[in-house]
Amino acid sequence: MVRFAITLVRHGETRYNKERLLQGQGIDEPLSETGFRQADAAGRFLSNVVFTHVFASDLIRAKQTAATIVGENRLCKDIKIHFDARLRERKYGVAEGKPLSELKTRAKAAGQQCPKYTPPGGETLEEVRARAKDFFEFLCQLTIEEKCQREEAGFEFGNGYESSLVSTFSSVNHCNGPDSHSDLDSTDVMLDANILLVSHGAYMRNWIKYFLEDLQCAVPPTFKKSRELSVSPNTGISHFIVSLERGATVQPQITCICINRHDHLLDLTEEACGEVRGL
């Protein structure tokens, strides 16, 4: 049995996010000042988690977010960040750089609804999900191969990463995501790998739907589909535990700990309100 954790984080806010303009893959916009503060907050929230691997989209907003999160980590700030085009945002073709409202108008004219509508030159939802599936299967294979290598070197019980991250994600009754799954609400979960992924809103939504719909991911009892399958807020955090038998990567057992959690941003919201009151 191989077990690993995936922590999926959306990049911080950019100017295009604030102005509700589509970025996709063609608009490579850096983080705004707010975006960097959000990434700092996510980094502090995850600062005691020992990550064994970090992957990020090769678009700059994801790169900057990943670097900021890792820079805040107390235990693995020197870890290498691997950039991968398979983690890029959905491609929106001719709609990139345009207002989201224009995409909705195009969809309505075509007799479709967002996000199922694909603008000319864009990716279909099926193509985005295929990218997510490909990358997830890569992670499964990577974890299996690394565990085999450790065992061949004489380490019988894997890395033994006692899951401090489970307690990080199991705060009681947090209001911005489901409560932790009861089967894993403890600190004795042992992981063979602990993987951080930094990606994008529409891509993450399709990844999570792939877990829930195709792989029958187990969810907490408080799970609400309408809430959890919406696009993540900037630096929203989702966390999953994956268990699989060697050679059976097509049928992993996945447990959701939380989806789109963003209570690490509460202090930023309160700070912004204070600045407004001070004007």
Side-chain angles (χ1 to χ4, degrees):
M1 175 70 72
V2 176
R3 175 180 279 175
F4 65 97
I6 293 176
T7 302
L8 192 57
V9 183
R10 187 186 177 194
H11 64 81
E13 184 183 85
T14 69
R15 177 176 61 89
Y16 275 67
N17 290 141
K18 186 178 176 93
E19 297 178 4
R20 297 182 64 78
L21 301 172
L22 288 169
Q23 294 169 101
Q25 298 182 13
I27 306 295
D28 203 10
E29 179 78 5
L31 297 182
S32 64
E33 182 179 342
T34 296
F36 276 111
R37 290 203 302 267
Q38 291 170 337
D40 280 331
R44 289 192 297 272
F45 179 77
L46 298 170
S47 62
N48 291 319
V49 178
V50 181
F51 291 110
T52 59
H53 307 77
V54 179
F55 295 93
S57 157
D58 59 353
L59 297 174
I60 191 168
R61 55 195 185 272
K63 286 182 174 182
Q64 291 175 328
T65 302
T68 302
I69 290 173
V70 169
E72 291 282 350
N73 196 285
R74 301 174 186 174
L75 305 172
C76 54
K77 64 172 52 185
D78 295 324
I79 193 170
K80 181 177 180 180
I81 302 172
H82 300 272
F83 303 113
D84 198 300
R86 287 174 292 182
L87 294 172
R88 285 184 179 185
E89 179 59 294
R90 181 184 182 186
K91 186 177 181 181
Y92 285 99
V94 299
E96 292 180 351
K98 306 292 178 57
L100 175 60
S101 58
E102 184 174 314
L103 179 68
K104 292 179 178 179
T105 299
R106 284 177 172 269
K108 185 176 181 180
Q112 299 180 43
Q113 292 184 335
C114 288
K116 292 183 178 181
Y117 170 71
T118 303
E123 278 184 296
T124 66
L125 292 180
E126 291 74 21
E127 289 170 330
V128 178
R129 188 173 295 202
R131 274 201 286 128
K133 179 177 184 290
D134 180 61
F135 195 80
F136 175 64
E137 291 179 351
F138 156 74
L139 294 179
C140 291
Q141 193 60 42
L142 174 68
T143 307
I144 290 172
E145 290 175 359
E146 289 185 345
K147 180 164 186 175
C148 289
Q149 291 169 4
R150 287 194 302 272
E151 289 179 344
E152 289 173 1
F155 296 98
E156 294 293 334
F157 300 103
N159 280 335
Y161 289 105
E162 201 161 355
S163 188
S164 61
L165 91 161
V166 169
S167 57
T168 297
F169 282 89
S170 60
S171 300
V172 177
N173 295 327
H174 61 78
C175 61
N176 298 307
D179 297 333
S180 63
H181 197 285
S182 58
D183 291 344
L184 292 171
D185 193 10
S186 64
T187 56
D188 59 358
V189 174
M190 302 298 289
L191 301 172
D192 294 295
N194 194 357
I195 302 169
L196 172 65
L197 305 180
V198 181
S199 187
H200 305 265
Y203 178 86
M204 286 173 54
R205 184 172 187 266
N206 278 275
W207 179 299
I208 292 168
K209 289 189 72 174
Y210 163 62
F211 270 11
L212 296 175
E213 296 174 358
D214 293 10
L215 299 182
Q216 303 300 304
C217 172
V219 297
T222 54
F223 180 85
K224 293 182 180 178
K225 189 172 182 180
S226 60
R227 178 184 67 191
E228 315 308 348
L229 290 183
S230 60
V231 174
S232 170
N234 290 107
T235 69
I237 299 172
S238 299
H239 183 61
F240 304 88
I241 303 293
V242 181
S243 302
L244 64 158
E245 300 291 343
R246 298 182 205 194
T249 59
V250 293
Q251 289 296 332
Q253 295 180 345
I254 305 174
T255 301
C256 168
I257 305 299
C258 65
I259 294 177
N260 296 344
R261 182 170 178 172
H262 56 283
D263 44 321
H264 58 282
L265 299 176
L266 290 176
D267 289 343
L268 297 185
T269 303
E270 292 170 359
E271 178 183 314
C273 290
E275 290 176 356
V276 170
R277 285 194 296 269
L279 292 177

